[in-house]
Amino acid sequence: MASENPFKSILKTLEKPGGGEFGKYYSLTALNDPRIDKLPYSIKILLESAIRNCDEFQVKSKDVEKIIDWENSAPKQVEIPFKPARVLLQDFTGVPAVVDLACMRDAMNRLGGDSNKINPLVPVDLVIDHSVQVDVAKSENAVQKNMEFEFHRNSERFGFLKWGSNAFRNMLVVPPGSGIVHQVNLEYLGRVVFNTDGMLYPDSVVGTDSHTTMIDGLGVAGWGVGGIEAEATMLGQPMSMVLPGVVGFKLLGKLREGVTATDLVLTVTQMLRKHGVVGKFVEFYGQGMSELSLADRATIANMSPEYGATMGFFPVDHVTLQYLKLTGRSDDTIATIESYLRANRMFVDYSEPQVERVYSSYLVLNLEDVEPCISGPKRPHDRVPLKEMKADWQGCLDNRVGFKGFAVPKESQKKVAEFTFHGTPAQLRHGDVVIAAITSCTNTSNPSVMLGAALVAKKACELGLEVKPWIKTSLAPGSGVVTKYLLKSDLQKYLNQLGFHIVGYGCTTCIGNSGDLDEAVASAITDNDIVAAAVLSGNRNFEGRVHPLTRANYLGSPPLVVAYALAGTVNIDFETEPIGLGKDGKKIFFRDIWPSNEEVANAVQSSVLPDMFRATYEAITKGNPMWNQLSVPSGTLYAWDPKSTYIHEPPYFADMSMSPPGPHGVKNAYCLLNFGDSITTDHISPAGSIHRDSPAARYLLERGVDRREFNSYGSRRGNDEVMARGTFANIRIVNKLLKGEVGPKTIHIPTGEKLSVFDAAVKYKSEGHETIILAGAEYGSGSSRDWAAKGPMLLGVKAVIAKSFERIHRSNLVGMGVIPLCFKAGEDADTLGLTGHEQYTIDLPSSVNEIRPGQDVTVVTDNGKSFTCTLRFDTEVELAYFDHGGILQYAIRNLINAKH
């Protein structure tokens, strides 16, 4: 059991310069170990946490030694425990987390334990960054309309979270309308250094959204985990992780005239994708750091999931302290942060000689080499320099269907779709823009690109340019601060003039909440098979995510979004072709509307002020009228409503006993789905709208829910019945069993019947058959999404055999008791001659003690094939979860046993 901390001798007092003390802290320098000074800053955060939490039970002295010896131990893929300082949730992922906590209380109660023991043991920040549908985009009062709309549709969900904030200790709920979770985290929630009951320690956070990494730009170690893993962290379980390698990314020089932070992040994303950083930390350093604002750093850190790293980390320096002051943190807080980090040698002071850090590998980028660019049409790391965009678009039309191809026949490439828009004749061609959205936490937290977009709008309006009325334009900032500085700069009116009205403060187009296109536009696209385009300042552009009717989706900076909206097409060479005609009939080019770096810097300097941040976040503690009027039940056990289509008690603990069920193999399982590469969590568990012909739609209609009230899958994550039916319901999913047909169907192998995936899964279960999934590389990439693991488990999937897995998704599968297996290098379903029509048997020992992390297992089919896979339980702790039937069951049994 736990014992006294063996490192208590290095617990020191941090004195204030003028007398008194900041608090106690574990001093890394007091260990007098020369290896510590050479550690990457990001690894020092793991080290401090291990030392502070060392009890020789959950965290052991040998774990501390592994981290100190990082240079030698990291290449060996050793396992360490990590206890983050806090957990970050947003409402889409927070609802199922609170549902699970409420269920765990019920289960604890049934099994004779104290249900009130189920509480977060670390601070939990839950931000309701309600997703904003942009159907009322071109309206001055869009924000209020959207808030009313969201409260009307989501009052039950919001009320449930409000109940949770009262029922569970240690949980802060930030009401709707405050901003996107990651921007609120950056501007308000990020502590940088905690002072808890007089103990000082670095802020660190795991969040249930992969873009939690945005906080890395503030020098706070943070990354996305599955909702399942976050819940275990909340319950005091250490996270088990492989000690990561760290890529040192050296920055030199400064950005050239006209180049934005978005151009930089898309360049960095492509470089790191090529280098290969999955499962690694990336730590930025070098003389170029002084040229990067905190907002620029946060933009780069935000896109860590897109370049595949666990973190993109920027150590704390003077730029960080300036940002903390700008965002309204108190002088005392900032003094504590600087003093603590300097004392523990975790502060970078570029005025002093730098100790050469050791990194696993190195990259260098001269910022002067970055050029304007966008990424697409289907993946964030497919960067296209702006000057090459027209040629690249032509290539996409010509190429066979794939990440860079639409296979439009030559004779159809110049097709013109004639239609009438509100009585006016109109035309659509391939590559025409129908959605232009300034959206997403990646860019809307960055004043330079937001004010840059506003300056583009100003110049365009003054020259007489307009956006075509059928292009769906919207502006969804990440926090109310953006509104304040756009108004202060007197530039919002120009964005409004071009249709970029503020629609709300939350996730919009980037997560599929674009709302419907005008019926005339939608018909023109579908009737003529037009490859229509969306341009957004987001971080994800996977197929089917942004909008079902935009097959080409490009990521670009906010000012580029405005430029492409004005041009009306992505099929343009901005250097040689005009964007449009001005009021005097003169051709207006891209260079005529693009602001200089000096213009942008002046706007930022004069318009972005500390009082704006203070005023915005003071409102959090007060709530807002609609939130404050929500009435919620009291009591620590939730009163489930069986009629609810939003909040439903899931069956995870229905048959749970005190004895772990032990490991399970797979016997004569059928293949539910056979996939190729890059199946994302959007394919597995869509977050966007519920398709009218889907099993989820059928379920809702049977319960009297009107189609207009369907809402999105994301908003219904608290209902397992809806989410199980939404699993593999993406309309763009490609299942090899369908031989080329696209859509959320599969073949029921015994009968040859074509069914929805849900109906096929139900049929298999009713027949007593287990199922597995075959997949290619990068299975589960994209946003961390617990339902991408919970859904398949509820469908009866027992194992996934893939070429490779995205980090968080593999962990989530383990947490739900689904076996992840990897084909051996050079092998996959195709090379092994597997069609998916076979039955599969995977033998595992009946005792968890006979299973080793990463061991080989044999898979046998009913037609005589046999092949070896790697069992992707990566740690002993993951094997313990598997033994218990999942991470939540493991946590409950541990808490009950702790009572005795």
Side-chain angles (χ1 to χ4, degrees), residues 61 98 121 174 187 206 320 356 377 435 547 556 595 638 809:
S61 298
V98 178
L121 298 179
V174 177
E187 295 174 353
V206 288
T320 321
E356 194 63 35
I435 291 174
H547 193 284
Y638 188 68
H809 184 63

Side-chain angles (χ1 to χ4, degrees), residues 91-101 231 717-718 786-787 790:
D91 54 325
F92 275 7
T93 49
V95 168
V98 178
V99 164
D100 290 351
L101 285 171
E231 289 166 34
R717 283 183 187 169
D786 56 338
W787 272 109
K790 289 176 177 175

Side-chain angles (χ1 to χ4, degrees), residues 35 43 189 222 324 371 376 423 481 758 780 790 811 819 844 874 880:
R35 293 174 296 176
I43 297 298
L189 296 172
L324 292 170
E371 58 185 335
V481 175
F758 175 78
K790 289 176 177 175
S811 150
I819 304 168
L844 289 178
D874 289 358

Side-chain angles (χ1 to χ4, degrees), residues 127-357:
V127 181
I128 305 181
D129 61 346
H130 67 291
S131 61
V132 180
Q133 291 283 353
V134 290
D135 286 325
V136 289
K138 300 200 177 186
S139 154
E140 291 286 0
N141 57 350
V143 175
Q144 184 61 24
K145 280 191 176 181
N146 269 318
M147 278 287 281
E148 289 169 2
F149 183 53
E150 289 297 316
F151 264 86
H152 167 69
R153 293 206 304 183
N154 296 310
S155 58
E156 185 182 350
R157 192 162 59 93
F158 293 168
F160 175 69
L161 291 175
K162 192 173 178 183
W163 168 81
S165 70
N166 297 328
F168 295 105
R169 294 191 304 273
N170 228 2
M171 184 181 284
L172 167 72
V173 174
V174 177
S178 304
I180 299 177
V181 57
H182 307 304
Q183 190 160 342
V184 174
N185 194 23
L186 188 74
E187 295 174 353
Y188 176 70
L189 296 172
R191 279 71 152 184
V192 186
V193 170
F194 264 91
N195 186 346
T196 303
D197 299 327
M199 177 66 76
L200 302 170
Y201 53 96
D203 187 4
S204 58
V205 59
V206 288
T208 49
D209 186 279
S210 52
H211 292 109
T212 300
T213 54
M214 189 172 199
I215 200 68
D216 303 340
L218 194 67
V220 173
W223 59 85
V225 295
I228 303 145
E229 205 171 7
E231 289 166 34
T233 302
M234 293 187 318
L235 294 166
Q237 297 298 312
M239 270 180 55
S240 178
M241 62 185 286
V242 173
L243 185 62
V246 182
V247 177
F249 199 123
K250 191 172 191 176
L251 297 172
L252 304 171
K254 61 186 293 187
L255 294 174
R256 287 186 287 128
E257 184 66 38
V259 176
T260 67
T262 316
D263 301 323
L264 170 59
V265 74
L266 295 178
T267 303
V268 167
T269 298
Q270 187 181 46
M271 284 178 70
L272 288 169
R273 268 277 175 183
K274 187 177 176 184
H275 187 73
V277 292
V278 172
K280 296 184 174 77
F281 291 174
V282 177
E283 186 165 296
F284 293 87
Y285 70 105
Q287 161 264 322
M289 289 278 280
S290 59
E291 297 294 334
L292 283 186
S293 70
L294 197 292
D296 291 352
R297 297 174 184 193
T299 300
I300 295 169
N302 178 285
M303 281 191 77
S304 295
E306 282 67 44
Y307 44 80
T310 304
M311 278 206 302
F313 188 73
F314 291 80
V316 176
D317 60 13
H318 285 106
V319 173
T320 321
L321 301 182
Q322 287 162 11
Y323 180 81
L324 292 170
K325 195 170 182 65
L326 170 69
T327 49
R329 270 78 162 199
S330 72
D331 289 344
D332 283 349
T333 298
I334 296 168
T336 303
I337 290 167
E338 183 176 3
S339 298
Y340 168 79
L341 294 174
R342 281 187 182 276
N344 245 349
R345 295 187 189 166
M346 299 166 87
F347 185 87
V348 184
D349 191 333
Y350 289 106
S351 67
E352 299 174 353
Q354 297 299 298
V355 174
E356 194 63 35
R357 310 268 145 198

Side-chain angles (χ1 to χ4, degrees), residues 54-116:
C54 189
D55 59 0
E56 301 298 4
F57 177 59
Q58 288 188 331
V59 183
K60 299 179 179 178
S61 298
K62 66 180 183 182
D63 298 315
V64 172
E65 171 56 27
K66 284 178 194 173
I67 302 171
I68 292 175
D69 198 37
W70 169 84
E71 188 178 353
N72 297 310
S73 54
K76 298 173 187 167
Q77 296 283 288
V78 299
E79 173 195 349
I80 60 160
F82 176 51
K83 298 191 88 167
R86 61 188 171 101
V87 171
L88 181 71
L89 306 174
Q90 44 90 261
D91 54 325
F92 275 7
T93 49
V95 168
V98 178
V99 164
D100 290 351
L101 285 171
C103 271
M104 289 172 75
R105 276 200 173 166
D106 289 347
M108 192 84 151
N109 208 32
R110 284 196 301 271
L111 292 168
D114 178 3
S115 62
N116 287 325

Side-chain angles (χ1 to χ4, degrees), residues 690-763:
I690 296 171
H691 197 269
R692 60 189 304 136
D693 300 321
S694 65
R698 210 163 60 225
Y699 171 86
L700 292 171
L701 288 169
E702 285 166 2
R703 278 148 189 80
V705 179
D706 188 89
R707 286 192 190 280
R708 288 169 299 180
E709 299 292 330
F710 276 3
N711 214 330
S712 64
Y713 281 113
S715 67
R716 292 190 183 271
R717 283 183 187 169
N719 187 310
D720 58 288
E721 297 281 6
V722 173
M723 296 308 292
R725 287 163 174 77
T727 304
F728 301 112
N730 187 306
I731 61 169
R732 297 280 180 207
I733 206 164
V734 178
N735 172 14
K736 292 181 186 177
L737 293 177
L738 295 179
K739 301 191 184 312
E741 185 182 335
V742 177
K745 303 271 186 184
T746 195
I747 302 297
H748 177 255
I749 303 299
T751 62
E753 197 178 352
K754 184 165 76 173
L755 298 168
S756 74
V757 177
F758 175 78
D759 290 339
V762 169
K763 194 171 176 70

Side-chain angles (χ1 to χ4, degrees), residues 677 775-779 801-805 821-823 826-829:
D677 294 343
E778 297 181 334
Y779 181 77
I801 310 175
K803 284 174 75 173
S804 63
F805 292 91
L821 294 163
C822 276
F823 291 109
E827 294 183 348
D828 58 22

